[in-house]
Amino acid sequence: MIDVENVSVSLAGVDVLEDVSLAVDTGEFVGLVGPNGAGKTTLLRTVNGAITPDQGVVRVDGESIAALSSRAGSRRVATVPQDTSVRFAFSVEDIVAMGRTPHRDRFRNGDASPDQHYVERALERTATTDLRDRRVSTLSGGERQRVFVARALAQDAPALVLDEPTASLDVNHATRTLSLVRDLVDDGRAVLGAIHDLEAAARFCDRLVLLTDGGVLAAGSPDEVLTAETLAATFDIQGVVSTNPVTGTPSVTTLPATAEESRRIHVLGGGSVGAQIIARLCAAGHDVSAGPYADGDAVLSVTAQFDVPTATVPPLTDPSEQVLDVTRDRIEAADATVLADISITPSGHRLDLATEADRLVAVEEQPLSTRNYAGEQERERYEKLVRNGYQTDVRSAISLLETRPSDPVKRVSRHGI
Amino acid sequence: MSRSHWFFVVAGLLALLIATILVSATRGPVAVDLLVVARAAANAIGVPAGLTLAVEPYPVRETSLPVPVLSVRYVYPIQFDVPATSETIVRQIRLPRIVLGATVGFALAAAGTVMQGFFRNPLADPSIIGVSSGAALGAVAAIVFAATIPLPVMAFIGALLAAFAVYAIATRNGETPVATLLLAGVAIQTFLGAVISFMLVQAGESLREAVFWLMGHLHNSTWAEVEVTLPLAVLTVGVLYAYAHDLNVLLLGEADAHALGIEVERTKRILLALASVVTAAAVAVAGVIGFVGLVVPHVMRLLVGPDHRILLPTSALAGASFLVTADTLARSGTAEVPVGIVTAAVGAPFFLYLLRRREVHTV
């Protein structure tokens, strides 16, 4: 429905878009992501015909949008603007009825009944019927956003362009707005939307187009587009992309900047604490190894993403001698070893490995009693080990690990064990 | 306001205008009974019945030029029996002035409504893009230099030239940013103001006449002025009314208006041109009458809301009634006061009252 072909735009002598191509089919929601100044809004304005590209062409339903009159263009593309503030005392119904402008006969200013039908349907579809007589200026941001979506619906165009529809909304309203847009896409519209929130974009869009410096850096499914590499390249952030357990779509976590000095660190123990430690250390640029882990451990998605050398063992089995040897070598080579909130198991191999560490940092988020499955003897062994190392929590662990091995370190303890 | 009430509001304002005109015509040095006024006014209602084209000599310096003159022939269908003196006073002296006042008020209030919507600025008035200054320059030049071209023609041409200059200065690459237009308008007004002041300094004997014109006045109005101004104003405002919806959409901003299918730059050109013509028509016959185009649209916006489909006609009709009332006051004293002084003296305090009482600060 929307075909952007090799579009270049320069505004006031500055190249804003360079050779951008993308396509949005009917029934598809394509999200435009990218840092501020990447050219998202310019691209959207080119798609709705407000800007004529210097090179290339934007076709909507096969017709070059720049060659069409504003009226003909707006029958093809409806736009939900970024700024929905209205300073004037128009009612909700007035605003939604303005969506019928491209279909209006100039010399009939009164109620035109076929138009009213579209207005009613748009109000219903966006659950704004009850607000119809309210002044738009008295609505909340979320309500106003729905009114502007309703206006675009009344426009009855096959393609819809959204510029940051959720930029000023809280989580609840952002989700509701995007769900509504998703429904409209599924009704058979082609939607292109610039969306700031990467997770929301991943969750609601069929495909994403990552725009950087006026060009398309990546395009495809959210999984393909949102990777640690693309985030580092575009947003200049260290990020971790994992799968949101609830929505099953990519979830992006940004991390603090790189450490001054890189260290070799081995992480023993998985779970959420292990994953957090590994991700933060990797993002900060440290040389991390980890494991051994059982196949299928959730932490493996993080180690895979950062290419962390990790030994794995089949579930419910103890590590083989070979695996233990490899791991022991890694621990010996490391500046420090982390015990990431580990459970104490009867096999005792983690504690055996920990004894090899030059410098041991025990990260403890849960009390030991809830993590001990091996009895009194193993507990004493653990306590003795950590007494010679450091006990800390996730937040402090990173800075602790980044200090020089020789520096004196203040001991941090959360749970007196 | 509900759309079903629109008709009644417009009809009510029209009735108010007619009543104001009739009551105004009873006032004056010779009191005339309201019924007599109504009958004389009914007698004055002319229906255009034909056009005649004649070539008449037009004096230019010592010679004369043949100029084609188009004139309209009227028939007067209503013939009440009215005393001759009363008929003359009402029909030949008071009504031309009152009807011209109504026309000027109608035109200025309509133009002010359009300009405020167009500029999305509550301070906008009909003269914002230099129309009044241009008209004033033309008129003062006509007075000071005793030009052979009639004063209203000079004023009308001056008004349109000034508006066009402002538009041309503010336009670049086919786009006319509203903010640039506003600033160019202020600059041109200031510049023309300086030229006018200079001419006044040089004016000598004609100074008094020039200053009187500048203050805005309706005295010595003739049916001839009404015949030109009334159709022009009604026609132009009628075309503007066809753009009322576009004005509504433009209030949301130009990007939105474009996304909703408005040809933004073309619409802006049309609105500016029409508003300038209607303002020029009013200023050319009545001088610079301030405040009507500023205050009346604000008051009506408070009453009927921002929708130009109702705001434009109600403002125009209310402006007509307002100016007729103000002019009645202007000529009721022992010495005639220019009506521009009355509109400003009455309008400003009323506007300040509204400003304190209710929300006038948005367009």
Side-chain angles (χ1 to χ4, degrees):
Chain A
M1 176 59 61
I2 303 173
D3 289 290
V4 177
E5 294 164 19
N6 308 105
V7 161
S8 297
V9 172
S10 65
L11 297 175
V14 179
D15 293 332
V16 182
L17 293 177
E18 279 177 272
D19 201 26
V20 171
S21 297
L22 62 90
V24 186
D25 284 332
T26 301
E28 207 180 22
F29 185 1
V30 173
L32 208 51
V33 293
N36 292 336
K40 298 191 295 284
T41 298
T42 304
L43 181 55
L44 294 179
R45 283 169 58 75
T46 312
V47 170
N48 82 3
I51 296 175
T52 303
D54 299 321
Q55 274 157 41
V57 63
V58 175
R59 287 183 212 284
V60 177
D61 207 6
E63 295 242 30
S64 164
I65 201 83
L68 295 173
S69 70
S70 170
R71 183 177 162 94
S74 57
R75 287 180 172 192
R76 285 183 162 71
V77 185
T79 306
V80 177
Q82 183 169 8
D83 178 15
T84 58
S85 58
V86 174
R87 288 191 293 136
F88 314 102
F90 284 117
S91 70
V92 167
E93 190 176 350
D94 288 338
I95 294 286
V96 176
M98 286 187 196
R100 297 304 296 164
T101 304
H103 305 273
R104 178 187 51 112
D105 181 352
R106 173 174 311 287
F107 297 99
R108 285 185 60 188
N109 263 332
D111 283 357
S113 44
D115 283 350
Q116 193 58 30
H117 164 72
Y118 285 96
V119 173
E120 296 296 337
R121 225 175 44 180
L123 288 169
E124 260 167 53
R125 197 79 183 73
T126 54
T128 48
T129 311
D130 292 344
L131 305 175
R132 66 191 307 158
D133 293 323
R134 290 268 300 276
R135 287 183 177 192
V136 180
S137 45
T138 65
L139 300 183
S140 73
E143 290 169 332
R144 224 165 45 219
Q145 193 60 257
R146 296 218 302 280
V147 171
F148 276 75
V149 171
R151 190 186 78 180
L153 276 185
Q155 216 169 322
D156 194 36
L160 186 61
V161 161
L162 305 141
D163 193 359
E164 304 282 5
T166 57
S168 55
L169 302 185
D170 63 36
V171 177
N172 171 33
H173 287 103
T175 307
R176 282 179 69 177
T177 302
L178 288 174
S179 300
L180 171 62
V181 172
R182 184 69 245 179
D183 290 347
L184 302 177
V185 173
D186 297 338
D187 287 353
R189 281 185 185 77
V191 177
L192 179 63
I195 298 174
H196 229 85
D197 180 342
L198 297 175
E199 284 196 51
R203 182 173 156 197
F204 289 99
C205 298
D206 299 300
R207 287 191 296 119
L208 298 182
V209 172
L210 178 58
L211 215 57
T212 315
D213 291 335
V216 176
L217 187 88
S221 71
D223 297 311
E224 289 161 359
V225 172
L226 298 181
T227 64
E229 292 79 45
T230 55
L231 294 180
T234 51
F235 292 95
D236 201 21
I237 52 165
Q238 296 298 323
V240 183
V241 183
S242 51
T243 303
N244 183 317
V246 179
T247 61
T249 52
S251 162
V252 176
T253 313
T254 58
L255 295 165
T258 314
E260 282 172 29
E261 227 176 315
S262 172
R263 307 224 174 272
R264 281 194 71 166
I265 294 160
H266 188 86
V267 179
L268 284 169
S272 73
V273 173
Q276 280 182 59
I277 296 274
I278 292 170
R280 289 193 183 202
L281 289 172
C282 290
H286 297 293
D287 185 3
V288 179
S289 57
Y293 297 121
D295 281 331
D297 191 320
V299 78
L300 292 173
S301 69
V302 177
T303 59
Q305 201 176 116
F306 289 104
D307 286 328
V308 171
T310 308
T312 58
V313 299
L316 305 175
T317 58
D318 288 334
S320 64
E321 264 320 301
Q322 197 196 343
V323 167
L324 290 174
D325 281 343
V326 171
T327 309
R328 208 171 284 125
D329 289 346
R330 284 176 181 156
I331 290 174
E332 278 170 9
D335 297 320
T337 297
V338 177
L339 279 178
D341 215 25
I342 59 163
S343 302
I344 299 164
T345 54
S347 85
H349 71 265
R350 289 206 184 98
L351 293 184
D352 293 342
L353 289 167
T355 55
E356 309 287 337
D358 292 342
R359 193 173 189 231
L360 193 64
V361 175
V363 177
E364 304 189 318
E365 294 285 330
Q366 303 294 324
L368 185 59
S369 55
T370 65
R371 294 185 277 129
N372 186 3
Y373 303 98
E376 199 59 23
Q377 206 182 342
E378 286 293 294
R379 185 180 69 95
E380 277 172 20
R381 193 151 78 102
Y382 175 87
E383 285 179 351
K384 195 173 157 209
L385 262 173
V386 300
R387 218 171 292 136
N388 294 326
Y390 303 93
Q391 283 169 272
T392 180
D393 56 13
V394 173
R395 213 157 49 88
S396 312
I398 307 298
S399 52
L400 186 65
L401 288 164
E402 285 177 352
T403 54
R404 282 172 210 281
S406 55
D407 287 347
V409 177
K410 198 176 116 217
R411 296 195 172 219
V412 189
S413 177
R414 274 185 71 197
H415 309 285
I417 301 172
Chain B
M1 188 179 68
S2 163
R3 224 167 269 182
S4 50
H5 297 149
W6 284 5
F7 172 80
F8 299 103
V9 172
V10 173
L13 281 166
L14 196 61
L16 175 70
L17 175 60
I18 292 168
T20 310
I21 288 172
L22 295 181
V23 170
S24 172
T26 65
R27 306 280 310 198
V30 179
V32 181
D33 185 65
L34 186 60
L35 189 65
V36 176
V37 167
R39 285 179 172 165
N43 289 351
I45 295 171
V47 179
L51 287 170
T52 40
L53 184 67
V55 178
E56 286 175 15
Y58 181 75
V60 176
R61 292 172 194 261
E62 269 113 60
T63 168
S64 66
L65 281 178
V67 174
V69 174
L70 197 62
S71 53
V72 186
R73 199 158 46 78
Y74 291 93
V75 293
Y76 299 91
I78 305 170
Q79 293 296 331
F80 283 113
D81 197 18
V82 179
T85 32
S86 300
E87 168 122 27
T88 308
I89 289 171
V90 170
R91 191 165 162 180
Q92 299 307 326
I93 298 168
R94 292 185 192 165
L95 272 185
R97 175 174 185 153
I98 292 166
V99 175
L100 191 69
T103 307
V104 168
F106 179 89
L108 291 178
T113 306
V114 172
M115 289 298 189
Q116 283 170 8
F118 179 96
F119 283 98
R120 276 166 273 151
N121 188 324
L123 277 178
D125 75 352
S127 58
I128 192 130
I129 60 163
V131 178
S132 298
S133 303
L137 182 69
V140 172
I143 294 166
V144 172
F145 301 123
T148 45
I149 303 172
L151 185 148
V153 177
M154 288 279 281
F156 190 75
I157 292 171
L160 292 188
L161 281 181
F164 184 77
V166 169
Y167 172 78
I169 289 166
T171 302
R172 190 180 267 188
N173 300 331
E175 287 184 17
T176 317
V178 163
T180 317
L181 202 57
L182 205 69
L183 292 173
V186 171
I188 290 280
Q189 282 185 62
T190 311
F191 176 74
L192 294 181
V195 177
I196 293 165
S197 299
F198 180 75
M199 287 199 306
L200 290 179
V201 169
Q202 308 292 318
E205 302 237 320
S206 52
L207 178 65
R208 198 186 138 76
E209 195 190 343
V211 169
F212 195 71
W213 190 91
L214 284 176
M215 287 174 179
H217 63 90
L218 285 163
H219 84 299
N220 293 341
S221 302
T222 63
W223 280 119
E225 287 171 314
V226 173
E227 270 179 50
V228 178
T229 315
L230 181 63
L232 187 59
V234 171
L235 201 73
T236 321
V237 173
V239 182
L240 278 173
Y241 185 70
Y243 281 86
H245 183 92
D246 303 57
L247 264 170
N248 289 346
V249 179
L250 272 174
L251 279 183
L252 301 182
E254 291 182 14
D256 262 28
H258 177 272
L260 289 172
I262 304 283
E263 296 288 352
V264 172
E265 291 302 329
R266 192 181 70 196
T267 306
K268 277 158 67 183
R269 270 198 298 278
I270 291 169
L271 290 174
L272 269 188
L274 292 173
S276 299
V277 165
V278 75
T279 309
V283 179
V285 292
V288 184
I289 298 175
F291 253 72
V292 181
L294 180 68
V295 178
V296 174
H298 276 297
V299 174
M300 293 319 292
R301 204 175 278 109
L302 284 176
L303 295 177
V304 303
D307 190 331
H308 287 88
R309 289 173 297 178
I310 182 69
L311 180 60
L312 185 63
T314 50
S315 283
L317 290 172
S321 295
F322 175 72
L323 196 59
V324 170
T325 309
D327 187 51
T328 310
L329 289 176
R331 65 186 172 82
S332 292
T334 43
E336 165 144 2
V337 181
V339 67
I341 293 176
V342 178
T343 58
V346 173
F350 182 57
F351 190 58
L352 289 175
Y353 165 76
L354 285 177
L355 210 55
R356 297 283 299 183
R357 280 292 304 270
R358 300 180 68 171
E359 302 201 347
V360 180
H361 32 270
T362 54
V363 173

